[in-house]
Amino acid sequence: MSTTAFHKLPEIAISFWIMKICATTLGETGGDLLAQTMKVGYAISSLIFLGFFFLMFFIQIVSKKYNPIIYWLVIIATSTAGTTISDFMDRTLGLGYAKGSFILVALLILILGIWRLTEKSISVTQIQSVRAESFYWVAILFSNTLGTALGDFLSDDSGLGFAGGAVLIGSLLLLIILAHYFTTFSKVVLFWLAFILTRPFGATFGDFLTKPTDQGGLNIGTAFSSIFLSLVILALMYREIRHLNHRQNLT
């Protein structure tokens, strides 16, 4: 799938999904690092990360072409904000993972519905205006918030644990990949299903890395995990920038 006519979003290839999983996992570990490890709290952490999101969102919107650094910083911002917002809803407000997930599912469907009615398509390859791109980023913010709630529900309330939750989500993602290549199911629907599910996969995998061993985790810690994931993302980002520069030189 090629870049959009708007030329501000990346190609939807394997590298995109690897970056997405790393970014959402970093969102989980980074959000927990500020809210829990550093004891800033979910409410203040959410305000800090939302401020970072709005800043990067504005920079992305005013940019004239695709910039990997800006794009992935917005993705990370939605992921970290989504982590603390979800935890604030589920834990501080006491909604619980199931009710919080239901509310976020309803809000995401509403956003996608309004986007579809307004722009006639929710395909990421059809984004050709600032308004459509704004819908795109709002949908991503809510999908990453929903993904955190779903990941926590699978890890804690379902009894699957962190590893079991990651295996379940990974299996669902595999089914989506098979449907993409071997069925005529809507590619737009499959994209958004995969986009939503990579967030709880990142959430459960992030918890698996950071939580104590008596809770089923590896006890690596939020700080070390966040640093490691940041380095992986930087390496992938550098590779993408080199690829873009090489392609521009050929043209």
Side-chain angles (χ1 to χ4, degrees):
M1 191 179 299
S2 61
T3 53
T4 67
F6 205 42
H7 297 299
K8 293 181 66 178
L9 305 180
E11 294 182 10
I12 310 302
I14 293 176
S15 59
F16 171 86
W17 294 111
I18 294 173
M19 286 279 282
K20 170 63 165 57
I21 291 172
C22 289
T24 53
T25 307
L26 176 61
E28 182 71 16
T29 61
D32 288 346
L33 174 63
L34 186 64
Q36 298 178 22
T37 306
M38 300 177 67
K39 302 186 184 303
V40 175
Y42 298 123
I44 301 300
S45 296
S46 295
L47 292 175
I48 292 172
F49 288 132
L50 278 173
F52 178 55
F53 163 71
F54 284 120
L55 172 63
M56 297 312 305
F57 168 79
F58 174 76
I59 295 173
Q60 168 70 20
I61 288 295
V62 300
S63 298
K64 300 302 182 182
K65 62 180 181 179
Y66 171 59
N67 184 306
I69 296 175
I70 296 172
Y71 178 87
W72 288 108
L73 282 176
V74 186
I75 291 290
I76 292 170
T78 64
S79 188
T80 49
T83 296
T84 54
I85 291 170
S86 174
D87 288 342
F88 176 75
M89 292 174 58
D90 300 337
R91 300 172 186 177
T92 304
L93 297 182
L95 294 176
Y97 300 135
K99 187 180 293 184
S101 296
F102 177 80
I103 292 172
L104 290 166
V105 165
L107 289 173
L108 180 58
I109 291 174
L110 177 63
I111 291 165
L112 292 174
I114 295 173
W115 180 3
R116 177 69 175 80
L117 289 173
T118 304
E119 299 293 325
K120 310 306 179 186
S121 173
I122 59 173
S123 171
V124 298
T125 62
Q126 306 271 330
I127 295 176
Q128 301 182 26
S129 69
V130 170
R131 185 174 65 179
E133 189 185 5
S134 297
F135 276 118
Y136 171 82
W137 286 115
V138 172
I140 286 177
L141 176 62
F142 276 88
S143 71
N144 280 336
T145 307
L146 168 61
T148 300
L150 286 174
D152 288 339
F153 173 77
L154 290 174
S155 299
D156 297 338
D157 290 0
S158 70
L160 291 173
F162 305 123
V167 169
L168 175 61
I169 297 298
S171 300
L172 292 175
L173 288 171
L174 178 60
L175 290 176
I176 291 174
I177 292 171
L178 293 174
H180 174 82
Y181 286 106
F182 299 108
T183 73
T184 58
F185 199 82
S186 169
K187 299 299 187 289
V188 175
V189 173
L190 289 175
F191 170 84
W192 283 107
L193 286 175
F195 201 96
I196 292 168
L197 287 176
T198 50
R199 180 62 185 95
F201 182 82
T204 52
F205 186 65
D207 284 337
F208 178 62
L209 292 174
T210 60
K211 298 301 181 182
T213 53
D214 59 355
Q215 296 181 22
L218 296 179
N219 198 29
I220 295 175
T222 55
F224 181 80
S225 297
S226 298
I227 293 171
F228 173 75
L229 289 165
S230 296
L231 292 175
V232 172
I233 290 171
L234 286 173
L236 292 171
M237 202 179 293
Y238 174 73
R239 177 182 177 275
E240 187 170 0
I241 291 171
R242 287 193 61 185
H243 173 71
L244 285 173
N245 290 336
H246 177 69
R247 189 166 61 183
Q248 289 172 359
N249 291 333
L250 290 177
T251 58

